[in-house]
Amino acid sequence: MVKKHSAIVLFLLAALLLFAGYLFYQTQQEPNGQRPPARAVAVKTTEAAIQPLARQVNALGTGLANNSVQLIASSSEYLTYLNVIEGQSVQRGDVIARLNDVEQRARVAELQAQLTEQQRQLERLKNLAATQATAQSMLDEQQTRVNTTLAQLESAESRLRQMTIRAPFDGVLGLRSVSQGAYINSGSVITTLDDISVLRVEFNVPERFIAELSVGMPVTIGNVAYRNVDFKGEIKAIDPRIDPVTRSVRVHGVVDNQDLRLRPGMLLNVRVTLTNQDVLMVPENALVPLQNRQYVNKVGTDNKVTQIQVQIGERIPGWVEIVDGLSEGDEIIIEGVQKVRTGVTISRVE
C-alpha cells in the first residue's frame, strides 16, 4: 500500500515538472517574455455625417366636417314632402322637406288682403287730409292699423318659411330619421347635412412644440383605409389655451377632400413638419445604451477603439441625431459593437 502511494506521488511530481518545463519553453520562444499581439477584431465602420433632418410631430387626430348641422322640424305638423336621398350632394337653398303649411298660407293670404284694404283707406285719408276734409287723428289711426297688419304679415310669412326646410350650405345628406306623411314633433331630427369637401382634422400637440407651431404649416394625413396614400393639408387654427391635464395644445388642420374619401369621425395619423435643418447623424445601430446614457465606439487613427458618451436628439427610422460627443467625419463602429471595448484594435470589413 505504501509503495502504491509513493508511485502516485512520483507520477504527480513528474507531471508538474513537465508542465513547468513547457511554460519555460514558451517563455523562451516569446521575445522579452511578452505575449504576441492580440488579433484585431473585424468590425464594420462608418463616418458621422451632416444630413438634412425634417423635425416632425406625430399625433392621432379625428376627422371633423367643415360644416355640420342637424335639419330639424320647427313645429309639430305632418310631413307632406321629403326630398332626402341618403348620401346625395345638395346645394345651398335646395328644399329638403316641407311640413303641412295650408293654415299658414291661408293666414298670409288673409293678412295680405287686409293690408291691401287698409293701405287703400290710408291713401284716401291722406287725400282728404290734404284738403283738411278729415281730422289728423283719423289719419294717424289708419297708419297704425297699416303698421300693425304689416308686422303681423311679416310674422306669418316667417312661420310659413319655417314650414319649408332648406339646405343652409352645400353638403352631403345623411341618413333620414322620418318618413313622408308622418306627424313629427317640433325639434324632431329629419336628417343631417355635412360639408366634407374640406375635412377638418383635430389633434393635440405637446406644449414643448408650441413655439414652433404656426398657422399655415403643412400637415400630412394618413388613414388605415388608404395605407399608401398621404393627404396633404395645412394648419388652420391653434387653440390659445393649453390643456392643464395633458399639457398639450389643440390644433385644427384642413385637408382638401373633394373626392370624399375621408369621413368625419375617422381616426387619422397626423404628421406636422416643423423645421428642416442639417444635423450630425449616425446609424442607430452604432449606439450602445448603458442605463440612461448612450455611447458609441469611436475608432482612432491607430485603429484602436475608444468608447465615448454622446448626447442624442431626434430619431428617424434607422438614424439618430448626435447633439454632442462627436464631430463630422469621426469614424464609428456600426457592426460588431458587442465584440469591442476601449483599447481594442479593429480591422475593417466591407
Side-chain angles (χ1 to χ4, degrees):
M1 179 65 69
V2 175
K3 291 182 178 182
K4 184 176 181 179
H5 287 169
S6 299
I8 293 174
V9 171
L10 291 174
F11 176 77
L12 292 175
L13 288 174
L16 182 61
L17 288 174
L18 287 174
F19 181 69
Y22 173 76
L23 293 178
F24 177 78
Y25 174 77
Q26 290 293 106
T27 303
Q28 294 300 318
Q29 294 299 316
E30 299 169 1
N32 301 324
Q34 299 294 323
R35 291 186 178 182
R39 183 178 179 182
V41 178
V43 296
K44 186 175 181 180
T45 66
T46 191
E47 293 184 353
I50 299 294
Q51 298 182 23
L53 173 65
R55 299 185 64 234
Q56 294 182 336
V57 176
N58 296 318
L60 291 178
T62 301
L64 304 173
N66 190 39
N67 290 300
S68 180
V69 295
Q70 289 181 325
L71 301 178
I72 63 175
S74 59
S75 59
S76 299
E77 195 49 86
Y78 285 99
L79 186 63
T80 59
Y81 176 76
L82 183 63
N83 182 30
V84 175
I85 301 177
E86 295 157 329
Q88 179 188 23
S89 296
V90 296
Q91 303 296 316
R92 178 181 179 181
D94 287 352
V95 176
I96 305 302
R98 183 176 291 117
L99 301 176
N100 181 20
D101 57 1
V102 174
E103 184 177 344
Q104 284 73 18
R105 288 182 182 276
R107 177 59 176 167
V108 169
E110 177 186 358
L111 290 172
Q112 286 175 339
Q114 185 176 337
L115 179 63
T116 300
E117 176 60 24
Q118 290 176 349
Q119 287 175 334
R120 188 181 65 81
Q121 293 291 339
L122 179 62
E123 290 299 322
R124 187 176 68 83
L125 290 175
K126 284 182 179 180
N127 293 332
L128 292 175
T131 60
Q132 297 182 352
T134 185
Q136 182 64 36
S137 60
M138 294 184 63
L139 179 61
D140 293 341
E141 289 177 1
Q142 187 61 29
Q143 183 65 61
T144 301
R145 294 190 188 97
V146 170
N147 293 340
T148 301
T149 304
L150 184 60
Q152 292 174 347
L153 178 60
E154 290 178 352
S155 177
E157 288 176 338
S158 175
R159 288 195 296 271
L160 178 61
R161 286 193 297 269
Q162 291 175 3
M163 306 303 284
T164 301
I165 300 164
R166 300 178 182 272
F169 50 79
D170 297 350
V172 178
L173 293 174
L175 302 179
R176 63 180 176 87
S177 303
V178 294
S179 299
Q180 183 169 326
Y183 183 86
I184 58 178
N185 295 316
S186 175
S188 297
V189 177
I190 297 174
T191 186
T192 59
L193 179 65
D194 296 306
D195 174 16
I196 56 176
S197 59
V198 174
L199 191 79
R200 297 178 71 90
V201 183
E202 182 178 278
F203 58 97
N204 291 328
V205 173
E207 66 175 340
R208 68 177 181 273
F209 296 114
I210 191 171
E212 302 177 64
L213 288 177
S214 63
V215 174
M217 271 188 169
V219 296
T220 303
I221 310 298
N223 180 262
V224 293
Y226 310 102
R227 297 181 182 276
N228 300 319
V229 178
D230 286 335
F231 300 89
K232 303 297 183 180
E234 64 179 19
I235 292 178
K236 186 67 174 179
I238 301 173
D239 195 336
R241 297 183 177 182
I242 299 291
D243 190 318
V245 177
T246 62
R247 302 300 178 186
S248 62
V249 61
R250 185 170 56 176
V251 180
H252 275 196
V254 292
V255 57
D256 184 73
N257 191 39
Q258 294 293 335
D259 53 10
L260 307 184
R261 286 190 289 178
L262 298 176
R263 303 296 179 88
M266 272 186 167
L267 179 64
L268 303 172
N269 299 310
V270 184
R271 298 195 306 275
V272 181
T273 301
L274 298 176
T275 57
N276 288 288
Q277 55 186 353
D278 293 333
V279 298
L280 187 66
M281 303 282 287
V282 299
E284 199 170 23
N285 54 2
L287 294 179
V288 181
L290 183 60
Q291 295 181 350
N292 295 327
R293 301 175 181 178
Q294 298 286 348
Y295 296 83
V296 297
N297 292 302
K298 180 181 175 182
V299 180
T301 55
D302 56 356
N303 293 334
K304 289 191 176 182
V305 175
T306 302
Q307 192 174 76
I308 59 176
Q309 183 180 351
V310 294
Q311 181 180 351
I312 65 174
E314 297 292 325
R315 289 177 181 262
I316 60 175
W319 294 86
V320 62
E321 175 190 3
I322 300 299
V323 177
D324 186 44
L326 287 179
S327 300
E328 183 181 6
D330 286 346
E331 186 179 15
I332 57 173
I333 297 175
I334 57 174
E335 289 187 11
V337 294
Q338 297 84 3
K339 300 183 294 183
V340 299
R341 63 184 183 277
T342 296
V344 170
T345 303
I346 60 96
S347 64
R348 301 167 184 80
V349 297
E350 295 295 333

